[in-house]
C-alpha cells in the first residue's frame, strides 16, 4: 500500500533534490538503481519526452533514397530562390522609373511667370504713389483666379517704388494700407485655389531726385546723406554712367535713369538702411525679389563699378527670409560673372535676358533672327551635355540646373508688342512658343497691367502652352533641341525631344501665303508614335482640330499659321 506523501508546511524550506527524485522515480516504481540519492534510468526503457534522436539513430537514414532526394531538393530550391531574389532586386533598380530629373530643380526653374507692371511714375509724392499702388494691387487681387486659368505659375510685379515700405509719420496710414493689400494679395496667390508664386521687382540702385536722401545731400555744406550717393569733382571719362552737374556744389552726380540718382553701396550707413528696407519686403512672405539693375560702389581708388560682392550680400538678405526664396537679377552688367557655375553664383542663373527679345522683336527678318538665336543656344546645350554626360546620354541630376536662362517676351495680344504690330498676333504667338522651346529656359510674359490680366482668362494659346510644358516638363526643360530642315524658305521648324520618348515640333509659317512642305529629320518609330496636332495659333484654332494626325512629308500651313505637333504614343 502506497503511503501518502506528507504535506509540507508552507514555512518549510523546499527540498529541491527531493522534488526531483520524486518526479524521476514516482512511488511504486523500482529504485533499485538509485544509490546515494542519485537516479540512473536505463536507456532501453526510456519513454519519449520530446528529446531529439541521437546521431546513431539519425545515421540509420543517412543513405535512405527518400531523404537523399529531399535534402538535394531543398538545397537546390534554397539557391534558386536566393539567386531569383538577387536578380529581381537588380532588375527593379535598373528598370524602375527614378525620380524625374526636374525634381532636383528649384521652383523658379520650372515655372512660367506673367509680369505685371504697376506704373507709379506719374505720381509725384510718396503718399500718392502709395495710394495708387494700393489700388493697383487690389485690382490684381480681383483677377487672381486668372492665374490658375492661364496655367501660369506666378506673378512678377514690376514698377513698384522700393521705398514704399520706408515709412514715416506723414505716410504711416497710406503705407499700412499698401502693405496690408500686398500681404492679402500674396495670401490669395498662395491659397489652395491658386497655389502660385509672387515676386516683386525692385530698383535698389537709384533713388528719385525728390527723395529725402538726395534733396538733403544736394544742399551746400550737407554731410549726413552726401556719401549715400556718388559725387565727383571731375566728370569721369570712359564710363557708361550719366553724369549731371550741380553748379552750387561744383560737383557731378551719377545716374542711370532720368530723374534718378545712383546710390553708393560702399557707404555702410546707406547699405544698412537699404538692408532694413529690403527685409521689410521679404517679410511680407514674397517668394522672391527681382533686383532690377546692378548695385554700384565708389571704391577707395575712386573707381565706380557694379559690385558682385554687394549682390552676394543681397543674396544673403533674400535667404534670411527662407531658403526657398529666389533672387532674380535683371539687366546686369555682371551677367557673365554671375552665371559662372558655382554654389553661390547659381542663384543668379535666372537673370532675365532682355537683349535676345529685343534683337528678335526689332529684327527685319524675325525668322532668320530665331534661327540665329537657336543655333547659338543649341551649341551651348551640346557643349553642356558633352561635359556632363551619363551612359544614357542625359545629364546628371547635379548638373541639369546649370546654365539656366530666363527670357522676357511681350504678351502676343499686346498692342505694344513690336512683332504683333508688324506681323500680327499669330507670328507673335509663334515667337512666344519658340521662347518656351529654348534650352533650359524659364519664360516671363510681360505687357499687362493689373486690369489687363483678365485677358488671360480667354487666352487658350497661353494656357495650352503652359499645360504642355507642365505635363511634359522633362521634354521642355531638359530635352535636346534641333533646328529642322524644311522644303520651304518661309517656314521655321524646331524640335524638342527627351530620351527618344517625347518629341515636339514647332512650325511657323512667316509667309503671307499658304506653304506646302516636307519636314526632314529623324522621327520616333511610327509604330510606336504618331504625330498629332497639340496646339495651333488662336486665329486658326477653330479650323485646325487638335489631335489631327499630320504627315511630316506633306504638311500645309495657312498664311502666318503656327502649328505645334506632338509625337504621341500609340495606344
Amino acid at each position: 500500500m502506497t503511503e501518502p506523501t506528507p504535506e509540507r508546511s508552507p514555512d518549510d524550506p523546499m527540498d529541491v533534490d527531493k522534488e526531483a527524485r520524486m518526479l524521476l522515480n514516482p512511488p511504486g516504481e523500482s529504485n533499485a538503481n538509485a544509490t546515494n540519492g542519485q537516479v540512473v534510468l536505463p536507456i532501453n526503457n526510456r519513454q519519449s519526452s520530446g528529446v531529439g534522436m541521437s546521431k546513431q539513430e539519425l545515421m540509420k537514414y543517412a543513405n535512405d533514397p527518400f531523404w537523399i532526394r529531399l535534402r538535394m531538393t531543398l538545397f537546390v530550391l534554397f539557391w534558386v530562390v536566393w539567386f531569383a531574389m538577387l536578380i529581381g532586386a537588380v532588375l527593379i533598380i535598373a528598370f524602375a522609373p527614378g525620380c524625374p530629373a526636374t525634381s532636383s530643380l528649384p521652383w523658379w526653374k520650372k515655372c512660367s511667370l506673367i509680369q505685371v507692371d504697376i506704373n507709379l511714375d506719374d505720381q509725384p509724392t510718396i503718399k500718392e504713389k502709395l495710394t495708387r499702388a494700393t489700388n493697383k494691387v487690389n485690382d490684381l487681387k480681383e483677377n487672381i483666379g486668372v492665374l490658375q486659368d492661364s496655367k501660369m505659375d506666378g506673378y512678377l510685379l514690376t514698377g513698384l517704388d522700393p521705398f514704399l515700405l520706408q515709412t514715416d509719420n506723414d505716410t504711416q496710414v497710406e503705407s499700412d494700407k499698401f502693405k496690408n493689400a500686398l500681404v492679402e494679395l500674396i495670401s490669395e496667390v498662395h491659397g489652395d485655389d491658386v497655389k502660385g508664386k509672387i515676386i516683386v521687382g525692385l530698383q535698389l540702385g537709384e533713388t528719385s531726385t525728390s527723395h529725402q536722401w538726395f534733396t538733403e545731400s544736394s544742399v551746400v555744406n550737407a554731410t549726413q546723406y552726401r556719401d549715400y550717393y556718388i559725387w565727383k569733382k571731375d566728370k569721369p571719362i570712359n564710363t557708361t554712367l550719366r553724369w549731371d552737374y550741380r553748379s552750387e556744389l561744383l560737383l557731378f552726380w551719377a545716374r542711370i535713369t532720368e530723374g534718378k540718382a545712383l546710390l553708393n553701396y560702399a557707404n555702410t550707413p546707406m547699405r544698412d538702411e537699404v538692408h532694413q528696407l529690403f527685409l521689410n519686403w521679404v517679410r511680407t512672405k514674397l517668394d522672391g525679389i527681382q533686383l532690377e539693375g546692378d548695385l554700384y560702389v565708389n571704391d577707395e581708388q575712386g573707381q565706380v563699378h557694379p559690385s558682385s560682392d554687394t549682390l552676394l550680400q543681397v543674396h544673403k538678405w533674400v535667404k534670411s527670409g527662407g531658403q526657398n526664396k529666389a533672387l532674380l537679377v535683371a539687366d546686369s552688367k555682371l551677367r557673365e560673372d554671375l552665371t559662372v557655375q558655382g554654389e553661390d553664383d547659381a542663384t543668379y542663373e535666372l537673370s532675365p535676358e532682355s537683349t535676345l527679345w529685343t534683337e528678335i522683336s526689332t529684327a527685319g527678318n524675325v525668322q532668320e533672327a530665331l534661327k540665329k538665336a537657336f543655333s547659338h543656344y543649341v551649341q551651348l546645350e551640346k557643349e553642356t551635355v558633352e561635359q556632363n554626360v551619363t551612359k544614357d546620354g542625359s545629364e546628371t541630376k547635379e548638373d541639369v540646373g546649370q546654365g539656366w536662362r530666363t527670357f522676357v517676351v511681350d504678351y502676343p495680344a499686346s498692342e505694344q508688342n513690336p512683332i504683333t504690330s508688324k506681323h500680327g498676333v499669330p507670328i507673335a504667338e509663334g515667337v512666344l512658343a519658340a521662347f518656351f522651346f529654348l534650352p533650359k529656359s524659364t519664360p516671363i510674359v510681360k505687357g499687362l497691367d493689373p486690369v489687363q490680366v483678365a485677358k488671360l482668362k480667354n487666352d487658350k494659346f497661353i494656357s495650352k502652352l503652359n499645360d504642355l510644358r507642365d505635363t511634359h516638363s522633362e521634354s521642355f526643360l531638359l530635352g535636346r533641341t534641333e533646328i529642322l530642315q524644311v522644303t520651304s524658305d518661309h517656314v521655321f521648324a524646331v524640335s524638342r525631344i527627351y530620351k527618344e520618348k517625347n518629341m515636339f515640333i514647332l512650325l511657323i509659317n512667316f509667309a503671307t501665303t499658304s506653304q506646302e512642305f516636307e519636314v526632314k529629320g529623324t522621327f520616333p518609330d511610327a509604330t510606336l508614335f504618331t504625330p498629332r496636332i497639340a496646339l495651333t495659333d488662336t486665329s486658326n484654332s477653330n479650323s485646325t482640330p487638335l489631335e489631327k494626325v499630320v504627315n511630316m512629308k506633306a504638311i500645309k500651313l495657312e498664311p502666318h499659321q503656327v502649328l505645334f505637333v506632338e509625337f504621341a504614343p500609340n495606344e
Side-chain angles (χ1 to χ4, degrees):
M1 182 173 180
T2 304
E3 296 181 0
T5 303
E7 295 184 0
R8 180 173 54 84
S9 171
D11 297 330
D12 292 342
M14 179 183 290
D15 187 343
V16 178
D17 293 338
K18 183 178 180 181
E19 294 277 345
R21 288 195 301 273
M22 292 181 67
L23 288 172
L24 292 171
N25 299 280
E29 292 187 6
S30 174
N31 288 333
N33 295 324
T35 57
N36 298 326
Q38 297 181 348
V39 177
V40 179
L41 295 176
I43 295 298
N44 294 335
N45 297 329
R46 184 180 62 183
Q47 297 180 355
S48 175
S49 59
V51 179
M53 299 173 68
S54 68
K55 182 178 180 180
Q56 291 80 359
E57 292 174 314
L58 287 173
M59 292 302 294
K60 294 179 181 180
Y61 304 98
N63 297 319
D64 187 293
F66 171 78
W67 292 108
I68 291 175
R69 289 193 298 270
L70 181 61
R71 288 198 304 272
M72 185 59 65
T73 301
L74 292 176
F75 177 81
V76 173
L77 182 62
F78 168 80
W79 286 110
V80 168
V81 172
W82 193 90
F83 277 108
M85 292 174 61
L86 177 63
I87 296 172
V90 172
L91 292 176
I92 290 173
I93 295 174
F95 293 100
C99 295
T102 53
S103 64
S104 62
L105 298 175
W107 64 264
W108 53 88
K109 290 183 179 179
K110 295 185 289 186
C111 71
S112 54
L113 301 171
I114 180 72
Q115 179 176 321
V116 182
D117 185 50
I118 299 179
N119 187 2
L120 308 176
D121 290 342
D122 56 347
Q123 304 301 317
T125 68
I126 192 68
K127 280 188 176 182
E128 291 172 322
K129 285 186 177 182
L130 282 166
T131 301
R132 184 179 179 88
T134 302
N135 294 335
K136 291 276 190 178
V137 169
N138 286 330
D139 288 340
L140 186 57
K141 188 173 65 175
E142 292 295 323
N143 293 314
I144 197 68
V146 178
L147 187 66
Q148 187 178 26
D149 294 337
S150 63
K151 307 293 185 180
M152 304 296 286
D153 297 296
Y155 289 123
L156 168 60
L157 306 184
T158 59
L160 289 171
D161 188 331
F163 294 93
L164 290 176
L165 295 185
Q166 186 185 46
T167 60
D168 54 38
N169 293 332
D170 294 335
T171 61
Q172 186 67 50
V173 174
E174 290 80 7
S175 180
D176 287 344
K177 289 182 179 180
F178 168 71
K179 187 174 182 179
N180 290 338
L182 181 61
V183 170
E184 290 177 4
L185 172 64
I186 296 171
S187 178
E188 291 283 346
V189 173
H190 291 169
D192 292 336
D193 293 337
V194 180
K195 292 184 179 179
K197 304 292 185 180
I198 188 162
I199 300 174
V200 169
L202 301 176
Q203 170 53 272
L204 294 173
E206 298 176 289
T207 70
S208 66
T209 52
S210 61
H211 192 275
Q212 177 190 1
W213 291 352
F214 188 78
T215 56
E216 295 195 19
S217 70
S218 302
V219 300
V220 180
N221 300 324
T223 56
Q224 182 178 2
Y225 296 110
R226 179 65 56 82
D227 292 336
Y228 279 27
Y229 298 91
I230 298 176
W231 296 87
K232 295 287 186 181
K233 290 183 179 180
D234 299 312
K235 181 179 180 180
I237 58 175
N238 298 328
T239 176
T240 57
L241 299 176
R242 300 178 182 179
W243 297 85
D244 290 340
Y245 187 62
R246 181 73 64 167
S247 58
E248 59 271 28
L249 300 178
L250 303 178
L251 294 173
F252 290 90
W253 50 275
R255 67 175 176 85
I256 298 175
T257 311
E258 185 70 33
K260 301 288 184 71
L262 198 64
L263 289 169
N264 176 24
Y265 274 82
N267 183 266
T268 302
M270 186 280 299
R271 191 171 61 248
D272 291 343
E273 289 203 48
V274 173
H275 180 199
Q276 185 57 48
L277 174 67
F278 194 92
L279 292 181
N280 290 342
W281 285 97
V282 173
R283 288 166 183 160
T284 61
K285 306 300 183 181
L286 290 166
D287 297 292
I289 300 288
Q290 174 173 288
L291 188 62
E292 299 176 356
D294 288 310
L295 305 179
Y296 284 76
V297 297
N298 186 19
D299 61 25
E300 296 178 354
Q301 290 73 36
Q303 300 295 318
V304 181
H305 56 83
S307 171
S308 58
D309 291 338
T310 303
L311 289 181
L312 288 174
Q313 188 65 45
V314 174
H315 172 214
K316 295 179 181 178
W317 296 352
V318 173
K319 295 305 177 184
S320 67
Q323 291 300 311
N324 202 32
K325 294 187 183 296
L327 174 64
L328 291 69
V329 183
D331 300 322
S332 172
K333 298 185 183 305
L334 297 171
R335 178 172 179 80
E336 295 300 323
D337 296 333
L338 296 175
T339 54
V340 173
Q341 295 184 3
E343 181 177 354
D344 289 332
D345 296 331
T347 306
Y348 309 104
E349 290 179 353
L350 192 53
S351 306
E353 286 191 6
S354 59
T355 55
L356 180 61
W357 167 243
T358 302
E359 291 170 0
I360 291 178
S361 62
T362 58
N365 190 324
V366 178
Q367 180 182 353
E368 291 301 320
L370 279 177
K371 285 185 179 180
K372 181 179 178 181
F374 269 87
S375 298
H376 172 67
Y377 287 111
V378 168
Q379 181 61 32
L380 288 179
E381 180 185 54
K382 181 180 179 182
E383 294 173 358
T384 302
V385 172
E386 288 175 350
Q387 294 171 0
N388 306 299
V389 71
T390 59
K391 291 182 180 180
D392 64 352
S394 62
E395 294 178 66
T396 62
K397 289 185 178 181
E398 291 76 12
D399 298 316
V400 294
Q402 299 293 344
W404 213 268
R405 292 168 295 276
T406 299
F407 299 96
V408 178
V409 188
D410 274 344
Y411 180 60
S414 171
E415 296 179 355
Q416 286 72 39
N417 189 333
I419 292 181
T420 301
S421 60
K422 187 174 182 179
H423 303 282
V425 173
I427 296 298
E429 290 176 340
V431 173
L432 174 64
F435 272 73
F436 273 69
F437 257 51
L438 279 167
K440 291 186 175 182
S441 66
T442 297
I444 299 179
V445 182
K446 70 171 184 176
L448 296 173
D449 66 21
V451 176
Q452 292 173 330
V453 166
K455 293 180 179 180
L456 288 171
K457 186 179 182 69
N458 299 318
D459 196 328
K460 301 305 180 185
F461 186 87
I462 293 283
S463 62
K464 184 63 176 177
L465 192 58
N466 277 301
D467 188 47
L468 287 169
R469 181 182 170 92
D470 180 62
T471 305
H472 304 281
S473 59
E474 300 286 338
S475 299
F476 277 83
L477 301 182
L478 306 179
R480 185 178 72 253
T481 309
E482 291 184 5
I483 301 177
L484 300 176
Q485 298 298 317
V486 297
T487 55
S488 171
D489 295 333
H490 303 286
V491 175
F492 172 75
V494 62
S495 70
R496 192 79 168 155
I497 185 170
Y498 180 71
K499 289 186 177 180
E500 314 301 329
K501 297 179 181 179
N502 299 100
M503 185 174 187
F504 293 89
I505 296 179
L506 173 66
L507 302 167
I508 308 174
N509 177 18
F510 282 88
T512 56
T513 57
S514 299
Q515 297 292 310
E516 295 185 21
F517 56 91
E518 174 187 353
V519 180
K520 298 181 179 181
T522 303
F523 306 116
D525 189 342
T527 62
L528 302 177
F529 297 89
T530 300
R532 294 186 174 92
I533 297 175
L535 180 65
T536 186
D537 60 89
T538 52
S539 64
N540 289 281
S541 59
N542 293 327
S543 59
T544 306
L546 300 181
E547 296 297 323
K548 178 183 177 182
V549 178
V550 296
N551 182 1
M552 304 308 294
K553 294 185 177 296
I555 297 180
K556 180 180 180 180
L557 289 184
E558 299 302 321
H560 284 186
Q561 185 177 8
V562 176
L563 210 60
F564 210 90
V565 179
E566 174 189 2
F567 279 78
N570 296 332
E571 296 181 357

